[in-house]
DNA sequence: ACCACTACCTGAAGGC
DNA sequence: TGCCTTCAGGTAGTGG
């Protein structure tokens, strides 16, 4: 589910509820999600103050006092919902617990952060303060950061015999893109997703970099894309899905040329593209 | 080293 | 109504 724009939207939404505040209660309702939770997770969270929230790729990192950082991944269906935030005179009540509410953090303010994840592909772990976690070790650069530029991407795609679609999904090359935004970026650059990564010209790679940035920034501005599970922290839908040009639009007309959008499978994932605009 | 594929899990949607 | 199949925003691990 959540790709970089969705995770960044969640991070921003958690900020007012968490940053600077103490976690007064941690309710952990199962042993783990994709992996077991770390030992004594509830006790290690209880009483900790959240110093700040960062995002690395599709991970949210909550820096705690006491020298630990909480790592969160939403997997495919994970949601973080905030309730009970006091806004002016309006008090938002806590909703009834729902199926798949796995971890609930209660803050000193009375706000509550609920991690809900139907498919349980998400993850939570605690690590020593910083970025030193095995899941972060091999990640490529942030697509919105300075390290990600045409020279870098060209070097990483060079010699690769996998389709460019699959290469851009590889988090070791660039971290944070997922199926939606790769399809959308390739459409906007008119690059055929079936092309081998190593076959792209320097000009095509140079075009791809700023287009990837633009797509991600537009999606963040829209609060992400809501297809089924994803919600912003207040339960609101994102609305970038209304701006999809090819993703999920099989059989519909291409917004550029009117040809029918096609869906194919690449590395076991659906790829949507315009067979006319994006022809090798 | 590289690449394709499986597995993990639940739920929604579509066909019959 | 219900059963069965397919598909879904991710990614670690396996095996060719």
């Amino acid at each position: 589910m959540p790709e970089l724009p969705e995770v960044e939207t969640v991070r921003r939404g958690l900020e007012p509820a968490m940053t600077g505040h103490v976690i007064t209660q941690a309710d952990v309702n199962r042993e783990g999600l994709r992996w077991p939770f770390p030992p004594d997770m509830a006790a290690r969270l209880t009483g900790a103050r959240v110093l700040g929230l960062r995002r690395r790729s599709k991970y949210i990192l909550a820096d705690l006092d006491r020298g630990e950082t909480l790592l969160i991944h939403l997997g495919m269906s994970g949601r973080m919902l905030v309730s009970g935030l006091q806004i002016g005179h309006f008090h938002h009540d806590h909703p009834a617990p729902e199926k798949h509410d796995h971890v609930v953090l209660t803050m000193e303010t009375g706000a509550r952060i609920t991690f809900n994840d139907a498919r349980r592909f998400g993850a939570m772990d605690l690590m020593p303060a910083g970025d030193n976690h095995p899941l972060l070790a091999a990640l490529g650069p942030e697509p919105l950061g300075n390290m990600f530029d045409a020279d870098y991407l060209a070097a990483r795609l060079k010699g690769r015999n996998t389709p460019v679609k699959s290469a851009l999904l590889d988090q070791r090359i660039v971290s944070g893109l997922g199926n939606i935004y790769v399809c959308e970026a390739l459409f906007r650059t008119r690059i055929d997703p079936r092309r081998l990564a190593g076959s792209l010209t320097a000009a095509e790679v140079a075009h791809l970099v700023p287009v990837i940035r633009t797509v991600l920034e537009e999606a963040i501005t829209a609060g992400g894309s809501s297809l089924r599970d994803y919600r912003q922290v207040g339960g609101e839908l994102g609305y970038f899905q209304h701006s999809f040009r090819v993703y999920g639009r099989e059989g519909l007309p291409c917004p550029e040329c009117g040809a029918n959008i096609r869906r194919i499978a690449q590395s076991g994932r659906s790829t949507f593209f315009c067979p006319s605009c994006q022809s090798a």
Side-chain angles (χ1 to χ4, degrees), chain A residues 7-46:
Chain A
V7 176
E8 177 59 19
T9 299
V10 169
R11 189 198 67 78
R12 292 179 185 184
L14 292 175
E15 198 97 76
M18 296 187 79
T19 298
H21 300 299
V22 171
I23 300 167
T24 51
Q25 188 178 333
D27 295 292
V28 178
N29 300 325
R30 56 182 304 119
E31 298 288 306
L33 296 168
R34 180 165 185 180
W35 296 285
F37 292 132
D40 306 314
M41 183 167 79
R44 287 156 73 185
L45 292 173
T46 304

Side-chain angles (χ1 to χ4, degrees), chain A residues 218-233:
Chain A
E218 287 178 11
I220 291 170
T221 299
S225 303
S226 289
L227 300 185
R228 36 183 72 75
D229 301 302
Y230 169 71
R231 294 291 185 279
Q232 300 187 48
V233 299

Side-chain angles (χ1 to χ4, degrees), chain A residues 163-190:
Chain A
V164 60
K165 160 74 181 337
S166 305
L168 292 175
L169 280 178
D170 185 339
Q171 303 298 297
R172 296 167 302 184
I173 294 179
V174 57
S175 65
L177 296 177
N179 212 24
I180 292 175
Y181 300 107
V182 168
C183 289
E184 293 295 313
L186 288 173
F187 173 76
R188 292 186 186 203
T189 51
R190 302 175 61 97

Side-chain angles (χ1 to χ4, degrees), chain A residues 136-217:
Chain A
L136 307 179
L139 292 175
E142 290 288 322
L144 297 178
N146 293 332
M147 302 294 289
F148 182 66
D149 62 20
D151 286 344
Y152 167 82
L153 186 58
R156 293 303 303 266
L157 297 183
K158 188 179 170 191
R160 304 233 5 187
N161 282 310
T162 197
V164 60
K165 160 74 181 337
S166 305
L168 292 175
L169 280 178
D170 185 339
Q171 303 298 297
R172 296 167 302 184
I173 294 179
V174 57
S175 65
L177 296 177
N179 212 24
I180 292 175
Y181 300 107
V182 168
C183 289
E184 293 295 313
L186 288 173
F187 173 76
R188 292 186 186 203
T189 51
R190 302 175 61 97
I191 295 170
D192 187 325
R194 299 166 294 188
R195 295 261 305 280
L196 295 186
S199 78
L200 267 60
T201 65
E204 287 171 324
V205 175
H207 188 194
L208 206 38
V209 167
V211 167
I212 287 171
R213 287 208 179 95
T214 302
V215 171
L216 295 175
E217 282 164 0

Side-chain angles (χ1 to χ4, degrees), chain A residues 35-89:
Chain A
W35 296 285
F37 292 132
D40 306 314
M41 183 167 79
R44 287 156 73 185
L45 292 173
T46 304
R49 184 181 300 276
V50 179
L51 302 176
L53 291 170
R54 296 176 289 140
R55 180 188 57 73
R56 172 75 177 102
S57 183
K58 303 173 192 174
Y59 295 87
I60 292 172
L61 303 175
D63 293 311
L64 310 175
D65 59 0
R66 306 168 157 190
E68 293 199 298
T69 295
L70 174 65
L71 171 146
I72 300 166
H73 195 285
L74 301 177
M76 289 279 264
S77 56
R79 295 178 186 178
M80 303 278 295
L81 295 174
V82 172
S83 59
L85 246 196
Q86 197 81 30
I87 300 174
H89 292 294

